[in-house]
């Protein structure tokens, strides 16, 4: 029996922006760009069990009833899990050896998600940033407890599920809610729901949420095989006639969430908006692991109502879609009852499942699907659902108003909006759902003059890591690289203003991606051309900065022309000096700065001193507009006048009067 949903007014609440993504998934995925390439390319990332996990030959048997055996020798696996840079996070090697790889992955992915969001982690210290993590398996903890002689003071905390979230908050000094959630396969989408609720309630100002799953021993796989849940050939055939179970997968994903108004005010890039989320429970069914279609249907209905949208506006649903003969029809009928109803002929709601690409990440499955949904909205593209040819005969797709995405297709705007939903449920009966919308059009950044030199800054926590980082960015700037289409000014702005800066630093100057790449490659070859600088920031308090204002000597006939043409702040400061100076002297500094070489008077004292003064005042204003403010100021000879003004000892009118008379007297 259907019950009417009770909307709690969430539609009136501000949307939440997804501003950052970090992820590690099978198939070599190490971030949102590589994940999208895998999805759009229809890549199947399932492989045989690697030998560093367990010996597939020992445990495999096609007979499901054989005790201690499993019908599958497949899975979605990450690469090496032992490459954790403990020193980067201030963790000793001894402690790191006892930390669950799930915790290690989450720390790395948390850093990468915040970097992707363009936030400085150091500036978030002490903030009400919340951390919400879904995880379920405890393979590493079981391994540690199975060897009591290897345990030490770090073992319990290193294997505790709660610490998966707490360690992130501790490492980065975040003070918002921090906890782990275990609702089995819906864990990470439940964590996402709780993160959104925390932001809506105002207890968190920023939130990281997601999940993780790692397969280190065969025990869980053995149990799932004995329960008849796994595909013998290791393929998730979601909603297909050939569906015969799922294949396990591993990975980690986190998203950074922020209230939309804050994201817009901060100029953040936004992947997608969260319009509504929901969680409920199946109650008593024919078996604890048997889904309840009525409760899934009700949750879809309630979440859409709270999001203030009609289900018919949802063009795509990222389904749980494990590829089990029992679960798929139940889910499809629930989704069709809400999202497929009332649609005109031929306008079906599209289904897909990321499990067909990377396997079922269990506690991390929800966040993998959510990231896929956010990236799809961001690119207005629906990627293909793999391993689907003949539909499951128990799913009446036409009657349900549903179809499965068989190839890459554009995301349609229904009613002028692009909306998508994601469904997830745990084998204990906890269901989670969310509705996402396409992000608003980004503000167009102020254009930079073409051909202007830009400063690219990189940093790391060791010389070796800095060299590696330089090589990575150089490769990304090459033709076909991930940064090959990014504007130089945008790239340099992001690297400078929206990244955390470590002690070992490198800066290169270039007017094009090729020039920047050449500089970075030169650094890797231990060749330091002009325009490249590298070094280490001293430990302790930040070094102090002094501005030195020069007297006569550095002037030349064309000085300041590029800045006058390209930097409005510099030009405005020089124009103010010029207007005041003309009232004193009767001639224009700007005219002298613009004169060609044949008629330039820059070698004459009465011209050079006011020109140097105006240029140095303009430079100080430009540096200040970039956030560079001196701790001390000193001036030499005629430079003392500009120094006195910038230090605040003389008003600009007073300083102009002094330099006017000084230059006239020096002429004599």
């Amino acid at each position: 029996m259907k019950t009417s949903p009770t909307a709690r007014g969430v539609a009136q609440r501000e949307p939440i922006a997804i501003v950052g993504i970090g992820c590690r998934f099978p198939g070599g995925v190490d971030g949102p760009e590589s994940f999208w390439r895998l999805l759009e390319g229809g890549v199947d990332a399932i492989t045989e069990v690697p030998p560093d996990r367990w010996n597939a030959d020992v445990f495999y048997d096609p007979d499901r009833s054989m005790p201690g055996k499993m019908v599958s020798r497949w899975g979605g696996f990450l690469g090496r899990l032992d490459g954790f840079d403990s020193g980067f996070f201030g963790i000793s090697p001894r402690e790191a050896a006892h930390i669950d790889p799930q915790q290690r992955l989450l720390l790395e992915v948390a850093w990468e998600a915040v970097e992707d969001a363009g936030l400085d982690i150091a500036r978030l210290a002490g903030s009400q940033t919340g951390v919400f993590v879904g995880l379920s398996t405890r393979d590493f903890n079981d391994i540690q407890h199975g060897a009591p002689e290897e345990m030490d003071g770090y073992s319990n905390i290193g294997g505790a599920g709660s610490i998966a979230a707490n360690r992130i908050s501790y490492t980065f000094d975040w003070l918002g809610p921090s906890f782990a959630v275990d609702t089995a396969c819906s864990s990470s989408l439940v964590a996402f729901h709780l993160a959104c609720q925390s932001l809506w309630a105002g207890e968190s100002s920023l939130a990281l949420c997601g999940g993780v799953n790692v397969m280190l021993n065969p025990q869980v796989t053995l149990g799932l095989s004995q329960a008849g849940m796994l595909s013998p050939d290791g393929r998730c055939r979601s909603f297909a006639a050939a569906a015969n179970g799922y294949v396990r997968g591993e990975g980690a994903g986190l998203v950074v969430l922020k209230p939309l108004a804050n994201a817009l005010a901060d100029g953040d890039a936004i992947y997608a908006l969260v319009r509504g989320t929901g969680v409920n429970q199946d109650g008593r069914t024919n078996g604890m692991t048997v889904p309840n279609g009525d409760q899934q249907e009700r949750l879809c209905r309630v979440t859409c109502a709270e999001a203030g949208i009609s289900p018919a506006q949802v063009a795509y649903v990222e389904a749980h879609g494990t590829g089990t003969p029992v679960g798929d029809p139940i889910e499809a009928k629930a989704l069709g009852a809400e999202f497929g109803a009332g649609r005109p002929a031929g306008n079906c709601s599209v289904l897909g499942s990321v499990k067909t690409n990377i396997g079922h990440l269990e506690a991390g499955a929800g966040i993998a699907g959510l990231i896929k949904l956010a990236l799809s909205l961001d690119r207005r593209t629906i990627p293909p659902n793999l391993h689907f040819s003949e539909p499951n005969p128990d799913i009446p797709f036409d009657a349900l108003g549903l179809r499965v995405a068989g190839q890459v297709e554009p995301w349609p705007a229904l009613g002028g909006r692009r909306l998508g939903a994601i469904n997830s449920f745990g084998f204990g009966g906890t269901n989670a759902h969310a509705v996402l919308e396409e992000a608003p059009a980004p503000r167009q950044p102020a254009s930079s003059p073409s051909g202007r030199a830009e400063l690219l800054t990189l940093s790391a926590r060791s010389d070796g890591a800095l060299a590696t980082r330089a090589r990575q960015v150089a490769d990304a700037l090459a033709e076909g690289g991930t940064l090959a289409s990014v504007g130089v000014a945008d790239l340099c702005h992001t690297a400078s203003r929206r990244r955390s800066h470590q002690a070992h630093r490198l800066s290169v100057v270039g007017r094009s991606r090729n020039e920047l790449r050449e500089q970075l490659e030169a650094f890797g070859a231990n060749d330091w051309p002009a325009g490249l600088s590298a070094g280490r920031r001293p430990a302790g308090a930040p070094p102090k900065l002094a501005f030195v204002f020069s007297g006569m000597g550095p002037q030349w006939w064309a000085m300041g022309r590029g800045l006058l043409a390209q930097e409005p702040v510099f030009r405005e400061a020089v124009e103010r000096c010029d207007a005041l100076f003309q009232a004193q002297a009767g001639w224009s500094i700007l005219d002298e700065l613009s004169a060609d070489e044949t008629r330039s008077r820059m070698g004459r004292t009465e011209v050079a001193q006011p020109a140097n003064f105006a240029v140095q005042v303009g430079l100080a204003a430009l540096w200040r507009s970039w956030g560079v403010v001196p701790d001390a100021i000193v001036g030499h000879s005629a430079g003392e006048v500009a120094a006195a003004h910038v230090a605040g000892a003389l008003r600009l009118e007073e300083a102009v009067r002094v330099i006017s008379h000084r230059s006239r007297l020096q002429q004599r």
Side-chain angles (χ1 to χ4, degrees), residues 43-169:
V43 176
D44 181 346
I46 303 304
T47 63
E48 287 203 17
V49 179
D52 63 348
R53 304 309 175 86
W54 61 83
N55 189 328
D57 292 332
V58 169
F59 289 98
Y60 172 75
D61 195 293
D63 184 353
R64 192 185 306 276
S65 66
M66 290 293 291
K69 300 292 183 179
M70 62 182 74
V71 297
S72 175
R73 54 191 305 132
W74 304 91
F77 292 93
L78 300 177
R80 289 180 51 183
L81 295 175
D82 58 353
F84 180 61
D85 186 354
S86 60
F88 183 87
F89 297 102
I91 298 172
S92 70
R94 180 182 175 188
E95 181 179 4
H98 293 277
I99 296 177
D100 189 334
Q102 294 183 124
Q103 293 185 25
R104 302 181 212 162
L105 277 171
L106 286 170
L107 262 183
E108 293 173 340
V109 170
W111 178 278
E112 292 162 5
V114 173
E115 285 273 289
D116 184 61
L119 302 174
D120 185 344
I121 282 187
R123 294 183 181 179
L124 292 177
S127 68
Q128 286 298 118
T129 298
V131 180
F132 307 80
V133 170
L135 80 165
S136 185
T137 54
R138 302 288 194 277
D139 290 6
F140 188 78
N141 199 44
D142 293 343
I143 292 170
Q144 287 200 106
H145 287 177
E149 70 281 358
E150 298 292 333
M151 295 187 69
D152 68 6
Y154 294 116
S155 296
N156 287 333
I157 194 170
S162 60
I163 302 301
N166 299 161
R167 190 181 293 279
I168 296 172
S169 300

Side-chain angles (χ1 to χ4, degrees), residues 341-420:
R343 291 176 178 270
N347 180 19
C348 295
S349 185
V350 183
L351 297 185
S353 173
V354 74
K355 296 174 182 63
T356 64
N357 299 95
I358 60 176
H360 185 4
L361 270 60
E362 296 160 355
I367 196 63
L370 183 98
I371 292 173
K372 172 188 172 182
L373 178 59
L375 293 175
S376 300
L377 278 165
D378 183 53
R379 287 155 173 82
R380 299 183 176 186
T381 300
I382 297 174
N385 187 81
L386 307 186
H387 314 309
F388 183 88
S389 52
E390 184 181 348
N392 188 318
D394 293 328
I395 303 176
F397 282 97
D398 291 339
L400 291 172
L402 301 175
R403 65 180 176 85
V404 175
Q407 59 188 4
V408 176
E409 58 183 86
W411 190 303
L414 304 179
R417 305 171 73 178
R418 288 181 175 84
L419 290 156

Side-chain angles (χ1 to χ4, degrees), residues 529-559:
L532 184 153
S533 179
R536 182 177 182 181
R537 176 183 177 274
K544 293 187 175 181
L545 175 68
F547 279 4
V548 179
F549 290 80
S550 168
M552 288 283 288
Q555 71 277 356
W556 67 296
W557 68 273
M559 67 177 181

Side-chain angles (χ1 to χ4, degrees), residues 183 186 189-190 278-283 291-297 299 423-426 428-433:
T183 59
S186 59
L189 201 61
V190 171
V279 169
N280 74 1
Q281 164 64 219
D282 282 345
N292 183 333
D294 288 342
Q295 281 300 92
Q296 288 186 39
E297 180 184 337
L299 183 59
N423 203 44
S424 185
F425 49 90
T430 297
N431 308 307
H433 197 80

Side-chain angles (χ1 to χ4, degrees), residues 176-387:
S178 178
F179 54 85
V181 178
D182 182 0
T183 59
C185 306
S186 59
S187 297
S188 55
L189 201 61
V190 171
F192 177 76
H193 164 75
L194 294 172
C196 292
Q197 296 297 318
S198 182
L199 287 168
W200 277 321
E203 66 179 0
S204 295
S205 57
L206 187 78
L208 269 76
C209 59
V212 64
N213 190 51
V214 167
M215 302 178 288
L216 300 178
N217 60 37
Q219 276 74 11
V220 173
T221 308
L222 285 168
L224 293 170
S225 177
Q226 292 292 318
M229 296 182 178
L230 298 186
S231 165
D233 55 5
R235 295 295 180 272
C236 286
R237 296 179 173 85
S238 305
F239 309 112
N244 59 357
Y246 70 82
V247 57
R248 298 187 72 204
E250 65 182 16
L254 290 170
V255 294
V256 181
L257 306 178
K258 187 187 265 192
L260 175 59
N262 294 356
L264 293 174
D266 295 339
D268 295 327
I270 301 172
Y271 286 101
L273 301 181
V274 185
R275 305 298 312 204
T277 67
V279 169
N280 74 1
Q281 164 64 219
D282 282 345
R284 189 172 184 87
T285 60
N286 292 333
M288 183 172 286
T289 62
V290 178
N292 183 333
D294 288 342
Q295 281 300 92
Q296 288 186 39
E297 180 184 337
R298 182 178 186 278
L299 183 59
C300 296
R301 188 163 66 255
V302 169
T303 306
C304 287
E306 293 187 337
I309 63 133
S310 164
Q313 292 177 277
V314 174
Y316 174 80
V317 180
E318 175 63 20
H320 192 66
T322 54
T324 58
V326 174
D328 281 4
I330 293 174
E331 182 182 20
K333 290 170 185 176
L335 296 176
E338 291 304 318
F339 297 109
R343 291 176 178 270
N347 180 19
C348 295
S349 185
V350 183
L351 297 185
S353 173
V354 74
K355 296 174 182 63
T356 64
N357 299 95
I358 60 176
H360 185 4
L361 270 60
E362 296 160 355
I367 196 63
L370 183 98
I371 292 173
K372 172 188 172 182
L373 178 59
L375 293 175
S376 300
L377 278 165
D378 183 53
R379 287 155 173 82
R380 299 183 176 186
T381 300
I382 297 174
N385 187 81
L386 307 186
H387 314 309

